[in-house]
Amino acid sequence: MSKIKKYDEHVSHYAYVTYFKDEGMYKVKASVHVNIEEGVDQLYHDVTDVDLEFFVNDKKCNYAGFKDLYEKLFNKSNWKEYEECLWEEFEAHYLENKVKIKL
């Protein structure tokens, strides 16, 4: 029987972090999904998704309904830009406040 030798080892972790942002008239809840890879001497954090939910008077809104309301109030063309800005803002916040994992 031949001898088995290890060729490579890859360890990864998954993080799911939830944040709230108060926008005055409503709140945004962001669930940030992150893959964390172990390098030789550091961790690499890759934000893979940011799920957004919206709340008015602390009650969860239907996503399509909130989007329609936003477009009617603030201009149809602004929604995609607003959503992308939120995604980037929550991603940046996570990357500045990463979960702690011991190597």
Side-chain angles (χ1 to χ4, degrees):
M1 183 176 269
S2 63
K3 187 175 179 182
I4 297 174
K5 294 181 183 180
K6 185 193 299 187
Y7 173 74
D8 193 15
E9 183 175 291
H10 175 81
V11 177
S12 66
H13 305 277
Y14 177 78
Y16 174 84
V17 184
T18 303
Y19 301 102
F20 273 94
K21 180 181 182 191
D22 190 339
E23 294 279 59
M25 192 166 79
Y26 58 92
K27 292 179 184 173
V28 181
K29 177 183 175 185
S31 300
V32 180
H33 303 263
V34 185
N35 283 328
I36 305 168
E37 306 290 330
E38 288 189 15
V40 175
D41 59 351
Q42 69 180 33
L43 296 173
Y44 298 94
H45 295 251
D46 179 29
V47 175
T48 58
D49 196 16
V50 177
D51 295 324
L52 300 173
E53 295 177 88
F54 300 90
F55 294 77
V56 174
N57 293 330
D58 293 325
K59 293 181 183 173
K60 184 179 172 185
C61 298
N62 172 285
Y63 181 85
F66 185 84
K67 178 184 174 196
D68 288 343
L69 176 64
Y70 185 92
E71 288 175 339
K72 288 176 183 171
L73 289 172
F74 301 111
N75 187 345
K76 237 181 180 147
S77 62
N78 286 349
W79 173 255
K80 193 67 178 163
E81 181 181 316
Y82 174 64
E83 190 177 40
E84 288 173 4
C85 285
L86 285 173
W87 206 101
E88 291 169 0
E89 184 177 6
F90 284 111
E91 177 184 34
H93 183 78
Y94 171 81
L95 292 173
E96 292 170 4
N97 303 280
K98 298 172 186 169
V99 296
K100 308 291 186 236
I101 297 176
K102 293 181 182 180
L103 290 173

